[in-house]
Amino acid sequence: MTDTNKPEPSGSDAQDKAVEEELKGVPEEFLDDGDEDQSGEGGLEEALAGLRSDLEAAKQETLYAKAETQNVRRRMEKDVTDARAYAATGFARDILSVSDNLARALDSVPQELRDDEKFKGLVAGIEATQRELDKVFGQHGITRIASMGLPLDPNQHQAMMEVPSDKHEPGTIVQEMQAGFMIKDRLLRPAMVGVAKKPD
């Protein structure tokens, strides 16, 4: 007579069966059979070293990308600022001729006509227009370049002629033929000047 009662599996057998159930469906290449040799451990170290190297390279690339993005953003901000600051440059350069003509008109009016009742209103109107134009220039950062009595500055002055003089050092501006202007920190138009030289 045979014993129909099967022996209860031991604790270790039960654990093995539970592990086998858990590992069902896992690909074989991911399973460790416990028989790794020294070469397997070396391969793992190589893989980890490769991953560390890749991670460091990725960090460097990220830092470079962030720096480049920051540089592009700064360049764009500067371009926008410059565009706002100097947008009126072309128009301002053209309108300077209007200012020149007004100044010439005022300079050409003799004193007796300025005192004449018939011309006082006309002269006052031209002077008011000149003042208004200067005010608008100031609002847009357009300023006149100082010239008379100063040394010649090639960045702001354009020497048109030399004037013999005993009273001034050579290279000193003694005559201004046309006023020069700056727009903020940029040259809008150089001043056309005459400079002193030693008499022959």
Side-chain angles (χ1 to χ4, degrees):
M1 185 173 174
T2 59
D3 188 2
T4 57
N5 294 329
K6 292 184 179 178
E8 290 291 328
S10 65
S12 63
D13 289 343
Q15 286 177 350
D16 289 346
K17 283 193 174 286
V19 169
E20 284 177 9
E21 288 296 325
E22 289 290 331
L23 293 178
K24 278 183 181 177
V26 177
E28 287 293 329
E29 58 266 23
F30 293 111
L31 296 178
D32 180 9
D33 60 2
D35 296 331
E36 274 190 342
D37 57 7
Q38 199 67 23
S39 65
E41 292 176 4
L44 181 60
E45 288 298 323
E46 287 177 10
L48 284 174
L51 288 173
R52 289 190 188 103
S53 175
D54 291 346
L55 179 60
E56 190 62 32
K59 284 181 180 178
Q60 289 296 325
E61 289 176 5
T62 302
L63 288 175
Y64 291 144
K66 285 182 178 178
E68 182 61 26
T69 302
Q70 183 76 358
N71 290 337
V72 169
R73 186 174 61 79
R74 285 178 182 163
R75 282 195 297 269
M76 288 180 65
E77 287 174 356
K78 184 180 183 304
D79 290 344
V80 169
T81 302
D82 287 350
R84 287 178 182 159
Y86 304 108
T89 298
F91 177 73
R93 192 175 287 119
D94 292 338
I95 209 71
L96 287 180
S97 61
V98 177
S99 177
D100 293 339
N101 290 332
L102 280 174
R104 289 189 198 102
L106 284 172
D107 291 342
S108 67
V109 178
Q111 188 60 44
E112 59 268 19
L113 286 181
R114 291 174 184 267
D115 297 335
D116 190 328
E117 291 297 327
K118 295 179 181 178
F119 288 95
K120 272 187 177 179
L122 175 63
V123 173
I126 297 174
E127 288 174 340
T129 303
Q130 183 70 55
R131 285 194 302 272
E132 187 66 24
L133 191 56
D134 290 342
K135 179 182 174 184
V136 171
F137 281 171
Q139 289 172 348
H140 291 277
I142 299 167
T143 54
R144 185 169 176 158
I145 295 171
S147 299
M148 292 297 292
L150 298 176
L152 180 72
D153 180 357
N155 296 316
Q156 295 185 335
H157 306 126
Q158 184 175 347
M160 305 301 292
M161 58 186 288
E162 290 184 316
V163 180
S165 175
D166 290 329
K167 300 177 182 177
H168 301 91
E169 288 290 322
T172 302
I173 297 171
V174 294
Q175 186 178 352
E176 184 181 73
M177 282 81 82
Q178 186 180 66
F181 289 87
M182 301 286 292
I183 180 167
K184 294 185 171 58
D185 58 346
R186 290 186 184 176
L187 182 66
L188 186 59
R189 184 180 75 183
M192 295 184 180
V193 297
V195 296
K197 71 170 184 175
K198 288 182 178 179
D200 296 333

